[in-house]
Amino acid sequence: MIKALLVFNTRGQARILRFFDSCTTESQQKLLRETYQIISKRDVGACNFIEYNDYKLIYRHYATLYFVFAIDSSESEYDMYEVIHMFVQCLDQSFENVCELDLIFHSDKVNQIVNEFFMGGFIVERTPDIVLNDIRTQVRLERQDSGVLTHVGSKIKSAVDTKTEKFKMDVEKKYDIKL
Amino acid sequence: MKFPDLSMSNPVRLRELIRQIRSAKTAAEERAVVQKESAYIRDAFRDEDNTWRCRNVAKLLYISLLGYPAHFGQLECLKLIASTRFTDKRIGYLGAMLLLDERQDIHVLITNSLKNDLNNSNEYVAGLALCALGTICSPEMSRDLGGEVERLMKSSNVYLKKKAILCAVRIIRKVPEQFDVFQNSVRSLLSEKHHGVLLTATTLITEMCQQNTQALQVFRNLVPNLVRILKNLIMAGCSPDHDVSGISDPFLQVHLLRLLRVLSRNDNEASDSMNDILAQVSTNTENSKNVGNAILYETVLTIMDINSESGLRVLAVNILGRFLLNTDKNIRYVALNTLLRVVHADQNAVQRHRATIVECLKDADVSIKRRAMELCFALMNKNNIRTMTDEMLDFLGTCELEFKSDCTSNMFLAMDRFSPTKQWHVDQMIKVLTTAGNSVRDDIVSSLIGIISSTPDLYGYAAHQLYKKMQNDITQQPLVQVASWTLGEFGDLLVNQQPQNEENLRVVEIEIIDILERILNSSLSTVITREYAINALMKLSTRFPNCSDRIQSVMTYYACNMNLELQTRAVEYTSLFTKHNIIRSSIVERMPVLISNQTSNTNSSEPEESIINSKENSPVNGKHEHVPSDEPINLVNILNDPIQTTSGTLNPNHSSSLFNPLEDSLFDFDTPTNPTTKSIPSMTAIDKNGIRMIFTFERDNTTLTINSKITNSTQYSITNFIFKAAVPKTFNIDLYPASSTTIPANNSGDIQQIIKITNPNREKIRMRIKLNYQVNNTNMSDEAELNTFPEQCYN
């Protein structure tokens, strides 16, 4: 069973936090902090499986993000390793070249994808395509709910917003100014 | 940075909020933004505003991701769930999953909404409900909604089926009794074509079998079905739907293998039917890709767990060997992990890979090092102990701190079992202590002391080695503790004996005392080390009579020390020099050979006799761990037999017995006040060589009190009579002090002693006793095994 799913960046800021085992906010943040400390010190070529208390942490590093799954002994580590990749592939396909900003600004959609993949700590579906289909259908349902036009408009706006944001950040970084 | 204008009616969009939080430069700014928004959201919730509730809850979820408290949103989530709009429901369920769990009482309120949504015709709504139920399942909810979930499991909609099955898994985990509800529908699930359903179904069956052994029986006859599915998967070639790097649905294969493992454990019939398929999977899967390796790994685990034929096992170990040589760290880790399990079953197969495993010790990765270390210890045996110990010592020198204590304990155990000679053993242990420094566990110190003391030929040698180490460095506490004990006990041997290989290294008395004083005064020594040192100095006061003045002055100096323990000891020792000078030599005499139960060679079952200090009156507390650190007179164990021995325990106050060794101990030995409910016949324990010991019993439920009376029918009086008793592990024995240690001759007097035995399991009492005494200037010793306790004692 998967106990927790954590996605955080190289500075330790959480992007997705899902706990399939009931725990308080303090213990959640504590787990996040400790995991960040352990994983940020690891070498590039180091083993991706770490023992931590009574869990195992399986992690993968993609660009600026660490995807960490905390599993117990009933799951296979290797299996999980592949599942992480599946998950990231699905995110990639649904957001088109996903990057950290996508996870930040569309955290609800990301959570939806997580729900489709993992439920209660177990894996529902392994194939990214099927999950994508389901997600698209649900988005269509939402659109029907709140009226098509506004949603399409907001979708365009949000796409533009995100791209502008990215561009702004790049420029800021490059020229070290504040826009 | 601009804050939103709160007078506007529309709340801030989620995206805007995120942007604001991200643009905060300091943590304080971020907190300010979040708090303002939190307050706004709270107000909005209070106003019961339907239109924007969804957006506010979404913002709240983002805030909770950052770690801020968001519990006030829980009720709002409930309201959202109850709404008819899909968007609302979606956010509502998401919020419920993130913010609620079974510790909050509110979660029960969702039950009704869940029930309605589970029956909703829209599959996505039902899917949402199932997801939420799967995440925050509580026992009450499971009982209410179990039936609905089961109905959905049978539905034809694949999407719902998968989710319903996993929901069932969760429910079963929480409420194992619900198993009956789901049991019947499980079988039909396996005949589904859809891989997603198969996957979830295998998870469900695995979970059921792990919870419930009766389920195991029921599902065992599913093994042929599973084997067939697996076969189809492998043979069918690649179906594009489920293909990953050329292997068809590896996840399903892995899950099937795991389920087969759980089902066929300890079952020959099922294991036989799986042999073929396992061999096929192992040979057909290519291991160049990660997924292939994942499948092979699972196959190996399965082969190891079931009763497979030996050819298959050899195949499995070979696969593991290939993994070990792979450059990818993950695979190596996984291989080491599995080998650890294999090695307990079949050591020889793994020995072949010993060289590679030793190489892994030098890997930079912590996880791999840990696994390799454990595996190395498992692989140690008589033949390779010397080389392995050298390797482990190297490792100990370079490894991280977290490994050191485990490594040292394991090394000690291994050396204890396999060391070829005692001298080598002592040598290596000293090396371990030097390398490992302060991360050694406490019991190792006492165990090492036990070993040194149990080989009299090595006294001088050990003392010499330890002295040499101490000259360089007195900062490593365990080493210093062992060394000070050894120098204290055997300092005279060190000075008198010519060391073997180095002629020009004769040690002089003054130097030893110098070193001990240095340890005592050093600020780097812990209190315990100082206690050892002060004891050692005391012992040397008799062994080196020339230096006894100096030692006395040290003791007087420490009599004013701030530390209570040191002060007590110093004061007592000072009075040993002054008031009780007469008995000083007898008190600090050399200790008898210590025999420790725990670390002795567990393979041999020869009983070892202990040498008794004949001046000792009554058996003092025989706890081995604390032997060296207490007063010099501590008698340890008695009979080291397959029967667990417990020496008679007094409740002695050690320091009082130190000063009154020849008097009776200070406790009363009242006859037991427990009322006897039955009268039990007395028993003659031993009647030999004129000594007769009679037991009379009194019983109170599980406690048996024995009054033992010892008479002497010879014509000589018996002196220094010591009685020892041992009982099996399941009993508890307490020996109270005897009335005296002298029995006058010709039955004119006796010794009385009380023994209490607790027998919680009401088992037949067995006891082994040993008597040591002096008669007519000869030392005598007798032993007997008592099996004939009357039945009323224990029944």
Side-chain angles (χ1 to χ4, degrees), chain A residues 1 24 29 45 47-49 51 77-78 104 112 116 119-120 125-126 137-138 142 145 158, chain B residues 15 22 85-86 90 103 124 159 162-163 170 173 251 255 297 329-331 333 365 367 371:
Chain A
M1 187 179 123
T24 61
Q29 292 291 321
C47 178
N48 296 70
F49 313 137
E51 272 137 52
E77 302 107 337
Y78 236 90
I104 300 173
Q112 228 184 334
E116 290 297 320
M119 198 180 95
E125 183 56 64
R126 313 274 178 144
T137 327
Q138 293 189 40
E142 279 181 41
D145 252 358
S158 69
Chain B
R15 213 149 292 131
R22 279 169 60 79
R85 286 172 58 194
F86 183 74
R90 195 167 67 76
R103 277 165 305 137
Y124 292 102
Y159 178 77
K162 289 184 308 200
K163 296 205 173 207
R170 191 72 187 206
R173 260 196 188 208
F251 301 114
H255 263 239
Y297 171 50
K329 293 264 168 49
N330 296 331
I331 302 190
Y333 171 86
D365 189 313
S367 315
R371 286 279 164 261

Side-chain angles (χ1 to χ4, degrees), chain B residues 368-610:
Chain B
I368 293 192
K369 270 207 259 204
R370 180 174 283 283
R371 286 279 164 261
M373 176 182 90
E374 286 171 8
L375 203 47
C376 282
F377 281 122
L379 282 179
M380 278 193 192
N381 63 21
K382 262 205 268 266
N383 304 330
N384 58 22
I385 183 74
R386 284 187 197 256
T387 41
M388 292 295 274
T389 320
D390 290 331
E391 296 283 344
M392 296 315 291
L393 276 172
D394 283 334
F395 173 67
L396 194 57
T398 55
C399 70
E400 283 87 356
L401 202 55
E402 55 209 22
F403 290 137
K404 286 202 176 169
S405 61
D406 283 331
C407 194
T408 46
S409 320
N410 280 329
M411 284 198 78
F412 191 81
L413 281 170
M415 284 199 264
D416 208 44
R417 284 165 68 192
F418 299 123
S419 60
T421 60
K422 285 278 182 192
Q423 178 164 341
W424 181 87
H425 191 161
V426 173
D427 256 342
Q428 298 301 316
M429 275 319 290
I430 296 178
K431 273 195 213 157
V432 169
L433 285 183
T434 335
T435 337
N438 288 326
S439 33
V440 173
R441 287 211 188 107
D442 303 329
D443 48 344
I444 295 202
V445 170
S446 49
S447 313
L448 181 56
I449 288 179
I451 291 183
I452 294 181
S453 113
S454 62
T455 40
D457 350 321
L458 285 183
Y459 287 165
Y461 174 76
H464 195 82
Q465 294 295 329
L466 287 165
Y467 177 75
K468 272 199 298 191
K469 296 280 181 206
M470 292 257 281
Q471 277 183 317
N472 302 332
D473 173 22
I474 54 171
T475 53
Q476 303 194 3
Q477 304 305 309
L479 182 64
V480 170
Q481 285 168 11
V482 176
S484 21
W485 184 87
T486 321
L487 287 178
E489 280 288 310
F490 310 125
D492 49 341
L493 290 180
L494 177 58
V495 172
N496 297 337
Q497 277 184 9
Q498 182 79 320
Q500 284 178 343
N501 298 325
E502 300 133 52
E503 278 91 17
N504 45 348
L505 224 64
R506 285 212 70 164
V507 186
V508 178
E509 300 173 356
I510 301 279
E511 292 173 6
I512 301 184
I513 302 199
D514 272 340
I515 270 210
L516 284 174
E517 258 199 78
R518 241 192 326 147
I519 296 173
L520 203 47
N521 295 334
S522 158
S523 52
L524 294 170
S525 309
T526 60
V527 177
I528 299 194
T529 316
R530 288 202 179 147
E531 290 166 13
Y532 273 91
I534 212 172
N535 283 349
L537 273 177
M538 192 59 210
K539 292 179 201 171
L540 288 179
S541 71
T542 40
R543 310 220 203 310
F544 300 157
N546 305 333
C547 310
S548 103
D549 291 329
R550 182 171 164 192
I551 296 181
Q552 185 170 359
S553 59
V554 171
M555 294 299 164
T556 329
Y557 173 70
Y558 268 88
C560 313
N561 189 281
M562 292 302 290
N563 183 296
L564 186 60
E565 183 65 41
L566 287 177
Q567 195 188 83
T568 322
R569 288 176 193 229
V571 166
E572 290 168 8
Y573 291 152
T574 321
S575 66
L576 262 190
F577 275 107
T578 50
K579 269 198 310 188
H580 300 273
N581 206 1
I582 322 161
I583 52 171
R584 180 160 54 98
S585 53
S586 58
I587 288 191
V588 294
E589 242 192 36
R590 212 193 293 293
M591 267 204 231
V593 173
L594 302 171
I595 298 164
S596 54
N597 254 347
Q598 289 137 325
T599 57
S600 65
N601 193 342
T602 46
N603 294 331
S604 86
S605 52
E606 310 140 348
E608 283 179 287
E609 306 268 355
S610 69

